[in-house]
Amino acid sequence: MRKLKVLIIDDSALVRQTLTEIINADPMLEVMATAADPYLAAQKIKQSIPDVITLDIEMPRMDGLTFLKALMAQYPLPVVIISSLTQNGSSLALRALDLGAVEIIAKSEIRNTREYLEESTIRITDTIKAASMVHVRKRSITSVASTSQMGSDQTIANHPGSKISGHKNIDSVNSKIYSTTDKVIAIGASTGGTEAIRFLLKNIPANCPGILIVQHMPAGFTRSFAEQVNTLCDINVKEARDGERVMRGHAYISPGDKHMQLVRNGAQYTIRLREGELVNRHKPSVDVLFNSVAVSAGQNALGIIMTGMGKDGASGLLKMKEAGARTIAQDESSCVVFGMPKEAIKLGAADQIISLTDLPKKILAHFGTPFVLLR
């Protein structure tokens, strides 16, 4: 099998060297070339087209976002962003996803310690392999809108009635109108998941059951992602905190360096965040979340497995189904990478296979009367 060719673009010689060692150690990958800035990278691409590019954002001569825009307009290739964990770096990396990048890796994951390097190796090589499977579409530089500028045309507006109007001050509404406070939605996603989750949450009504989300993403980026999505939604979207109660009208995204579990506390659900080893090569792991939901919520839960490479979440979704929960897998045509849903379907874990555009309507139809139209 031909090895996947990788072009590394980073102004740090140490990062280029470390990435080269990690990538070349994998039998499926090889570093085609490295470049200290986008101008040098452009010369390399003219000589030979790589399968995947790893790209730093903050670089001299030309920043990574400017290069990414030009690349997507001329040579649309799978790009994995390498970014620092600063707040600015996190925001820019999320902007890069809007511009066409496939995935994010935290630059601080590349540290010269044996233990941390081992964990980073899994993350880096898996991400590059997943990126190579993505079909990247060509984009004009002028057509790319920022996430904050996305309007109703980017939502499910072409499906009348699917988006229920509401407001974010859900806790101020008389709780007596809710008859099913013990419902919960659990979602797992990886490659391509940020865009899919953004679309889904934008089309969920403000009085929906509490939503727990595991998106494979490095620590430091999940909070920025949650804050970004929160500006687009009727529901409250936030990074989860250990011990907090799961509330209706809220979506909780697991921090990028901790496993998230659902715990039943009498008539309430709470969130447990914990350290631990990688599960299915990931932390947070979708299986860890789904397994806990199966135990704590059973038939009161809805499980959704979305786009991503690998098998994380497949067995957990099956346990949810066996516990009486309804389960959904995103269909192949709407997935960026049809890996995790495919594995779940092979196990017989999915009750239904649904396209991304139909998921909000399906959630509404499933819960039916528990949804109350807020005025």
Side-chain angles (χ1 to χ4, degrees):
M1 182 182 296
R2 182 183 70 85
K3 290 185 177 183
L4 297 172
K5 298 186 296 182
V6 182
L7 170 61
I8 299 170
I9 310 174
D10 199 294
D11 62 321
S12 167
L14 177 60
V15 171
R16 295 197 303 272
Q17 178 183 353
T18 306
L19 276 175
T20 298
E21 292 172 357
I22 290 173
I23 293 169
N24 284 340
D26 190 292
M28 295 178 61
L29 307 173
E30 68 175 347
V31 175
M32 178 194 84
T34 66
D37 63 58
Y39 288 101
L40 295 174
Q43 297 176 16
K44 306 285 186 182
I45 293 172
K46 289 179 181 179
Q47 297 169 6
S48 179
I49 303 295
D51 296 300
V52 179
I53 293 173
T54 68
L55 177 65
D56 189 11
I57 291 181
E58 299 176 279
M59 291 182 290
R61 300 180 68 193
M62 180 189 292
D63 67 90
L65 293 185
T66 301
F67 172 76
L68 184 61
K69 290 179 187 178
L71 181 74
M72 291 303 163
Q74 300 175 53
Y75 298 98
L77 297 168
V79 174
V80 174
I81 294 298
I82 306 287
S83 181
S84 65
L85 286 178
T86 64
Q87 181 64 35
N88 184 49
S90 299
S91 300
L92 291 175
L94 293 174
R95 172 65 176 141
L97 292 178
D98 296 331
L99 294 174
V102 175
E103 274 281 19
I104 302 171
I105 294 175
K107 182 175 286 188
S108 65
E109 290 183 7
I110 308 170
R111 295 204 298 239
N112 193 24
T113 65
R114 180 176 298 179
E115 180 181 357
Y116 214 98
L117 191 59
E118 181 178 337
E119 185 168 328
S120 301
T121 298
I122 294 172
R123 168 73 177 164
I124 291 164
T125 56
D126 281 0
T127 299
I128 291 172
K129 292 171 189 175
S132 72
M133 302 169 64
V134 176
H135 175 70
V136 183
R137 61 184 177 86
K138 194 170 186 177
R139 306 182 181 209
S140 71
I141 293 178
T142 57
S143 69
V144 181
S146 69
T147 302
S148 60
Q149 294 173 328
M150 284 185 176
S152 59
D153 60 317
Q154 297 294 321
T155 68
I156 198 168
N158 58 323
H159 297 283
S162 63
K163 186 173 176 64
I164 294 180
S165 61
H167 57 76
K168 290 198 172 188
N169 294 323
I170 191 79
D171 296 333
S172 65
V173 182
N174 190 332
S175 61
K176 291 182 179 179
I177 66 174
Y178 302 126
S179 59
T180 54
T181 55
D182 59 345
K183 302 294 184 182
V184 68
I185 300 170
I187 298 173
S190 189
T191 306
T194 53
E195 184 174 346
I197 288 169
R198 185 186 297 124
F199 173 87
L200 180 62
L201 296 185
K202 283 169 62 176
N203 292 283
I204 291 293
N207 57 326
C208 68
I211 303 172
L212 274 66
I213 300 170
V214 166
Q215 163 68 47
H216 295 156
M217 184 178 282
F221 293 92
T222 42
R223 177 174 296 180
S224 294
F225 177 58
E227 291 172 352
Q228 179 196 77
V229 177
N230 186 56
T231 64
L232 308 172
C233 301
D234 288 340
I235 64 173
N236 287 277
V237 184
K238 60 178 298 189
E239 185 181 57
R241 296 196 311 268
D242 184 51
E244 70 180 315
R245 180 184 171 187
V246 177
M247 302 290 292
R248 182 178 284 273
H250 288 66
Y252 305 88
I253 298 176
S254 179
D257 59 348
K258 290 182 173 62
H259 292 301
M260 180 167 69
Q261 295 174 303
L262 180 72
V263 178
R264 186 69 182 250
N265 236 338
Q268 300 177 353
Y269 295 120
T270 58
I271 291 171
R272 176 184 296 159
L273 300 179
R274 64 176 179 84
E275 305 290 343
E277 301 296 322
L278 300 182
V279 176
N280 293 325
R281 306 168 76 89
H282 293 286
K283 185 170 67 173
S285 164
V286 181
D287 267 336
V288 170
L289 172 63
F290 283 179
N291 288 342
S292 70
V293 172
V295 172
S296 297
Q299 64 182 3
N300 291 319
L302 172 65
I304 304 173
I305 192 163
M306 303 179 77
T307 175
M309 180 178 176
K311 64 178 182 178
D312 189 29
S315 65
L317 195 71
L318 180 60
K319 288 185 179 179
M320 285 186 64
K321 180 178 179 178
E322 291 171 343
R326 299 296 295 178
T327 56
I328 296 173
Q330 185 179 348
D331 73 351
E332 183 173 7
S333 64
S334 65
C335 282
V336 173
V337 178
F338 188 56
M340 288 159 52
K342 180 179 180 180
E343 293 299 321
I345 293 166
K346 284 166 59 177
L347 287 179
D351 291 318
Q352 294 176 294
I353 304 169
I354 305 294
S355 72
L356 177 61
T357 54
D358 289 335
L359 265 177
K361 291 192 300 182
K362 185 57 63 175
I363 292 172
L364 290 175
H366 171 69
F367 286 102
T369 54
F371 282 88
V372 178
L373 185 62
L374 299 178
R375 298 292 185 187

